[in-house]
Amino acid sequence: MHTPDLDRMDIAILACLQSDARTIAEHIGAKVGLSAAAVQRRIKRLRETGVIEREVAVLSPRALGLSMTFVVMVEMERENLAVLDGFRRQVLADDNVQQCYYVTGNADFVLVVTCRDMADFETFTRRMFFDNPNVRHFTTSVAMDRVKTGLTLPLEP
């Protein structure tokens, strides 16, 4: 994907949107000095070029009874494309997995997993790791405090 050239107006619009995606074009325009129509055109271009991937509601895990977060390091049995792609598909299909990174080092993947309780996590580990013959080993850390989560990116003009 080609990264479009972003000017200071684009950056200002993105800053507004990543703070609150529901901000209307009129308010953004007033902040950045553009008309609402110009803001809407720029937002459309930012979506079409992939700068804005998607717009979602950020839910509170605790409010939904998902009070436990786990960081899991996963080591695969074999490192070939079919095994890695299969695990990626499994991760993408599982709603408990909040984030997944293919990494260098001792592990092949790092997962951030949200569950209701330890029993829910045990069920998750059975279906994700124990039932998968390509998982050699996994190590889990339990998050004691949710210090910072988010998807906001640093925006430099």
Side-chain angles (χ1 to χ4, degrees):
M1 175 185 358
H2 168 69
T3 304
D5 291 327
L6 302 177
D7 63 19
R8 64 179 182 79
M9 292 295 184
D10 291 329
I11 298 297
I13 291 167
L14 290 169
C16 290
L17 290 175
Q18 82 171 354
S19 171
D20 182 359
R22 293 181 58 187
T23 306
I24 61 173
E26 288 80 10
H27 286 128
I28 296 171
K31 272 187 161 177
V32 303
L34 291 173
S35 69
V39 169
Q40 290 170 335
R41 282 191 302 274
R42 285 174 177 259
I43 291 172
K44 181 180 181 199
R45 180 179 52 80
L46 293 166
R47 287 179 181 133
E48 289 171 349
T49 58
V51 174
I52 298 174
E53 290 184 348
R54 61 191 173 126
E55 296 158 73
V56 299
V58 178
L59 308 179
S60 165
R62 190 167 300 281
L64 297 169
L66 298 162
S67 59
M68 298 196 75
T69 300
F70 305 86
V71 178
V72 186
M73 308 287 281
V74 182
E75 185 181 345
M76 304 307 290
E77 192 62 49
R78 311 176 267 297
E79 206 171 306
N80 68 49
L81 289 179
V83 167
L84 297 176
D85 288 344
F87 189 73
R88 282 183 179 107
R89 282 190 300 278
Q90 186 180 4
V91 163
L92 287 168
D94 197 297
D95 288 341
N96 289 95
V97 179
Q98 299 301 295
Q99 297 176 48
C100 174
Y101 301 93
Y102 178 50
V103 298
T104 62
N106 294 334
D108 296 304
F109 292 93
V110 175
L111 309 179
V112 176
V113 178
T114 303
C115 293
R116 295 186 187 290
D117 51 31
M118 287 303 290
D120 192 23
F121 183 67
E122 181 182 6
T123 301
F124 169 82
T125 61
R126 288 177 185 270
R127 86 173 163 264
M128 187 64 70
F129 308 129
F130 291 116
D131 291 346
N132 185 337
N134 293 313
V135 172
R136 177 183 302 152
H137 178 76
F138 70 95
T139 305
T140 303
S141 294
V142 179
M144 295 174 56
D145 186 17
R146 187 177 178 203
V147 177
K148 179 181 180 181
T149 60
L151 296 173
T152 58
L153 298 174
L155 297 173
E156 300 292 326

